[in-house]
Amino acid sequence: MSRNRSLPRARKRLSQNFLTDVGAARLIVRSSGVTAEDLVLEIGPGDGMLTRQLLGSAGRVHAYEKDAIYADRLRRRYLGNDRIRLYHMDFRSVREPAKPFAVVANVPFAVTTDLVRWCLAARQLTSATLLTQYEFARKHSGDYGRWTKLTVTHWPTVAMELGARIGRHSFDPVPRVDTAILRLRRRPRPLLPGSALADYRRVVELGFAGVGGSLASSLRREFPTRTVRAACVAAEIALDEPVGLIDPNRWLTLYGALRTDANSHRYTNVSDTFMYQTRKGAP
């Protein structure tokens, strides 16, 4: 079949770089750990390189393709296959399934952050294995030694890990940068009590406010200086340390220390809960 001349223009508009390396596709699916028991949502399957590998491992696949041309091709290709459903729609408007599911995708670069946020907000998500720009994956997994607000905010419930690097020549058209697997994994047991999560996230928002050039300075807007100082000592955070250098584990210790005052007794065991789960092997 000849190529449709409109496809290159559509690819650019939709930020499409199609995976052409079958070995890389197998690596992504293997990294996801999905089995015949799993429902998998695939974002932007394109011409179906990753889809073919998913059908060899997953129990069911729901594929969401924004490009009408490829959505139609895939629908015709898998006509009669009851293990896969094809949808012509923007994944960002998809409502999550009512049952547990995983996400596996070669993510369009232009909407990576939107899709990661979708995954983080999905209560039934068990894991997401996302092929993103290499720099994006490093940034959100802490590989630079710096940590984003997005990662720190969701760390009590979702671990973010850097996976294998995949070279740019595994794609058509060839992008300007390499890619890497970013793995999101829902923790079976959160590192904080559910009742503390909203408050923890509010404290993280305060800490990332960027006031005074350090985490401690930002926290002093709400907490007494002596409370901030004691919490920073407990978490081994220097008083002049920039917020981006604080890893999620120290954030959890910091939060537990901040909430040990007389008005917040219900949070006094937060640090102990975290330390127990760390000893048990939780990242």
Side-chain angles (χ1 to χ4, degrees):
M1 180 181 294
S2 62
R3 285 179 177 266
N4 188 309
R5 292 184 179 181
S6 67
L7 291 185
R9 182 179 300 174
R11 283 181 175 181
K12 184 175 181 180
R13 175 173 52 83
L14 298 175
S15 186
Q16 292 172 306
N17 297 94
F18 293 160
L19 190 64
T20 57
D21 184 344
V22 65
R26 289 171 179 161
L27 175 61
I28 295 165
V29 174
R30 188 164 61 248
S31 298
S32 74
V34 299
T35 70
E37 304 299 319
D38 294 317
L39 166 64
V40 175
L41 276 56
E42 184 185 5
I43 307 169
D47 62 357
M49 171 64 78
L50 197 54
T51 311
R52 286 190 288 273
Q53 301 304 319
L54 282 172
L55 285 171
S57 298
R60 292 170 295 149
V61 177
H62 291 183
Y64 298 85
E65 176 56 59
K66 188 176 180 180
D67 188 319
I69 295 173
Y70 285 101
D72 182 63
R73 284 187 182 181
L74 290 171
R75 188 175 290 114
R76 286 187 281 109
R77 179 184 301 168
Y78 293 111
L79 186 66
N81 187 335
D82 59 5
R83 291 179 52 234
I84 182 170
R85 296 182 183 178
L86 281 304
Y87 300 91
H88 173 215
M89 61 189 303
D90 188 330
F91 186 81
R92 291 173 292 182
S93 64
V94 172
R95 295 181 61 181
E96 69 167 295
K99 297 180 180 180
F101 66 95
V103 170
V104 180
N106 170 26
V107 178
F109 293 164
V111 294
T112 302
T113 300
D114 289 347
L115 298 179
V116 169
R117 289 185 183 279
W118 188 100
C119 291
L120 291 170
R123 293 180 178 273
Q124 293 294 336
L125 178 84
T126 57
S127 69
T129 305
L130 308 174
L131 190 59
T132 73
Q133 288 180 317
Y134 181 52
E135 298 302 316
F136 185 96
R138 293 192 67 191
K139 178 180 177 182
H140 289 281
S141 62
D143 192 56
Y144 283 123
R146 300 184 66 89
W147 296 87
T148 66
K149 182 171 72 171
L150 186 66
T151 301
V152 172
T153 297
H154 292 276
W155 192 258
T157 55
V158 179
M160 299 192 195
E161 304 157 348
L162 178 65
R165 182 173 181 171
I166 295 176
R168 64 193 188 95
H169 292 288
S170 293
F171 300 85
D172 179 32
V174 177
R176 295 182 179 181
V177 297
D178 285 352
T179 65
I181 296 171
L182 178 64
R183 175 108 162 118
L184 280 56
R185 179 173 52 82
R186 178 78 60 185
R187 301 184 190 278
R189 184 181 177 187
L191 300 179
L192 288 176
S195 58
L197 289 174
D199 185 56
Y200 166 81
R201 289 167 180 168
R202 187 184 63 80
V203 172
V204 171
E205 187 73 30
L206 176 67
F208 273 88
V211 176
S214 69
L215 172 59
S217 296
S218 295
L219 293 176
R220 288 192 194 106
R221 297 168 62 203
E222 180 173 322
F223 296 94
T225 297
R226 63 182 181 180
T227 300
V228 172
R229 185 181 297 272
C232 286
V233 169
E236 300 183 354
I237 296 171
L239 294 177
D240 61 351
E241 193 164 0
V243 67
L245 299 182
I246 314 301
D247 63 85
N249 292 346
R250 287 194 291 162
W251 260 104
L252 288 167
T253 303
L254 174 77
Y255 177 73
L258 287 172
R259 289 310 188 194
T260 56
D261 66 300
N263 295 323
S264 302
H265 286 302
R266 60 180 173 154
Y267 297 121
T268 56
N269 292 324
V270 165
S271 293
D272 293 339
T273 298
F274 167 68
M275 292 303 294
Y276 168 77
Q277 293 196 38
T278 300
R279 289 196 298 271
K280 297 290 285 184

